[in-house]
Amino acid sequence: MSKHVQVYFHDESEAEAFKATLAKYSTQDVFVDEIEHDDGRILVMPTPPATSSAAGVPPVKVSEKSAGMAIGFEKSDDDRPRRAVVDFKVSEADYQAVIEEARKNDGLLDQANI
């Protein structure tokens, strides 16, 4: 099974360098994308929790832990804008190593990934 990960970088060259380090891990669907914005902020729209909409079926209760997962990013002292994202899937066996690799490369991770 694989996990979906997004890592944010200051610019495309940092993102491409990180993408190259992913070659030693079991990843798939790796791509670098530029984030276009004018004010230096990243807009992250969390996916709402899935609920059942069938008639007569009560909504699925979401735990507090999963409800707060997509609220923000890891803390960072670097407030420069992040203008590139590396989006990929990684095998569960390599997941923790890839997260550490992202941190070493000054990547910013969504709290959902940690």
Side-chain angles (χ1 to χ4, degrees):
M1 181 153 192
S2 62
K3 292 188 173 199
H4 179 247
V5 179
Q6 289 182 322
V7 184
Y8 296 85
F9 292 95
H10 297 106
D11 56 43
E12 193 173 348
S13 64
E14 286 181 4
E16 289 291 345
F18 176 69
K19 179 181 175 183
T21 66
L22 292 176
K24 60 186 173 185
Y25 300 105
S26 179
T27 59
Q28 49 185 261
D29 303 329
V30 181
F31 72 92
V32 174
D33 199 12
E34 185 178 355
I35 302 169
E36 294 184 27
H37 48 80
D38 296 327
D39 60 4
R41 293 183 294 165
I42 297 174
L43 176 63
V44 178
M45 305 261 322
T47 305
T51 61
S52 173
S53 60
V57 178
V60 176
K61 193 169 187 177
V62 178
S63 72
E64 288 180 22
K65 180 179 179 187
S66 64
M69 283 175 44
I71 290 176
F73 294 97
E74 287 185 294
K75 294 183 182 197
S76 173
D77 293 333
D78 187 351
D79 61 352
R80 294 179 295 154
R82 305 280 173 153
R83 302 201 182 272
V85 61
V86 180
D87 188 287
F88 59 96
K89 292 179 185 172
V90 61
S91 71
E92 286 198 35
D94 288 337
Y95 178 76
Q96 197 58 45
V98 167
I99 296 299
E100 292 304 317
E101 194 78 48
R103 289 179 178 141
K104 282 195 295 188
N105 285 277
D106 197 25
L108 190 63
L109 296 156
D110 187 311
Q111 286 181 344
N113 292 322
I114 54 175

